[in-house]
Amino acid sequence: MNGWAIFLSPYHQAVEELKVKFKSLRDQYQRSSKHTPIEFVTGRVKPMTSIQEKAKRKNIALESLHTEMQDIAGLRIVCQFVTDIDTIVDMLRSRNDITVMSERDYIKEKKSSGYRSYHMVIDYPVHTIEGTRHVLAEIQIRTMAMNFWATIEHSLNYKYSGEIPEHVKRRLVRAAEAAYNLDEEMSKIQDEVREAQSIITKRREENKGTYK
């Protein structure tokens, strides 16, 4: 393995382990017939070129990457309702296998672009043949509406190399407000939505039993 592969190996391990753990939480909620605050989970390790570009932009020495670059490992937990975000945050704070290092609430204090999400930086121990390695990982928690907007904004940033035209930025801000309003409206009927989902889940389980 080359130097970068060795360096990134514990980050890959952390992402895969955390994805399994968070998906297991979702499955436990589903089996209990309770509303699951987790809709889906994704994760990635930042590519080497992106790490180098960010290190240069932020003036981070390569030997300090493991302490100063907090998003080499990244996970995203997507949920249905804004209230689910609070549930997930409390859940993560209470875990004894991770240590929350910092939190940023971009929902209450959105970015000027319109971006909304809840960010947590955690310390996670990875067990390797050479002992325990502690790696930093960033967890982004957001609703499906927030995630849709952020995905589009990311694509446009890539297209325009970070220099999105002003008229497109204005449309993005309006779209972000529309997504937020959608979340607000869905939150008002979340009890009805959850009840409907519970009925559907129960009927599926009953049908499974019928065909055994």
Side-chain angles (χ1 to χ4, degrees):
M1 296 175 72
N2 62 36
W4 275 106
I6 293 171
F7 173 75
L8 292 175
S9 179
Y11 290 95
H12 283 286
Q13 184 176 333
V15 167
E16 292 306 312
E17 289 182 9
L18 288 166
K19 280 167 59 179
V20 168
K21 290 181 177 183
F22 296 155
K23 288 177 181 178
S24 177
L25 284 175
R26 180 196 61 195
D27 293 343
Q28 289 175 48
Y29 271 102
Q30 289 174 339
R31 286 195 297 270
S32 70
S33 298
K34 296 178 181 178
H35 167 72
T36 171
I38 301 173
E39 186 69 15
F40 63 86
V41 180
T42 62
R44 64 96 184 102
V45 174
K46 193 183 285 290
M48 177 189 69
T49 52
S50 296
I51 294 173
Q52 291 173 322
E53 289 170 3
K54 184 171 183 177
K56 184 177 180 180
R57 190 172 69 252
K58 299 285 188 178
N59 197 28
I60 300 173
L62 294 181
E63 58 269 22
S64 300
L65 285 174
H66 65 290
T67 57
E68 294 190 35
M69 194 173 292
Q70 301 174 333
D71 63 344
I72 294 176
L75 291 107
R76 185 170 300 147
I77 302 176
V78 179
C79 53
Q80 292 183 337
F81 304 107
V82 175
T83 53
D84 291 333
I85 294 175
D86 294 330
T87 302
I88 295 168
V89 168
D90 289 340
M91 193 187 305
L92 294 179
R93 287 172 181 161
S94 68
R95 293 184 69 92
N96 57 19
D97 57 343
I98 65 175
T99 301
V100 177
M101 306 299 290
S102 64
E103 301 180 36
R104 294 291 297 272
D105 189 345
Y106 293 114
I107 299 170
K108 291 181 179 176
E109 296 182 16
K110 66 179 180 180
K111 292 187 177 181
S112 59
S113 63
Y115 176 86
R116 286 182 171 91
S117 186
Y118 198 99
H119 290 198
M120 304 179 81
V121 174
I122 65 166
D123 177 287
Y124 181 74
V126 172
H127 302 286
T128 73
I129 58 173
E130 297 178 350
T132 302
R133 282 280 311 276
H134 286 262
V135 301
L136 295 177
E138 182 184 70
I139 303 175
Q140 299 175 353
I141 309 160
R142 57 177 69 147
T143 65
M144 290 187 287
M146 294 174 192
N147 191 58
F148 173 69
W149 183 92
T151 301
I152 298 301
E153 195 253 2
H154 178 79
S155 299
L156 289 171
N157 259 316
Y158 184 82
K159 175 183 178 180
Y160 292 108
S161 300
E163 299 295 331
I164 299 177
E166 284 301 319
H167 72 281
V168 178
K169 284 184 179 179
R170 289 193 294 271
R171 287 184 177 274
L172 277 172
V173 170
R174 290 199 293 271
E177 290 308 306
Y180 182 72
N181 289 334
L182 173 62
D183 277 333
E184 289 287 287
E185 289 301 316
M186 294 304 291
S187 292
K188 294 174 184 176
I189 60 170
Q190 61 181 308
D191 290 340
E192 287 80 1
V193 174
R194 289 175 178 176
E195 184 179 351
Q197 291 172 337
S198 177
I199 293 170
I200 292 170
T201 300
K202 287 178 181 177
R203 287 180 179 172
R204 283 176 179 167
E205 291 302 318
E206 289 171 358
N207 290 335
K208 284 181 183 178
T210 302
Y211 291 102
K212 285 182 178 178

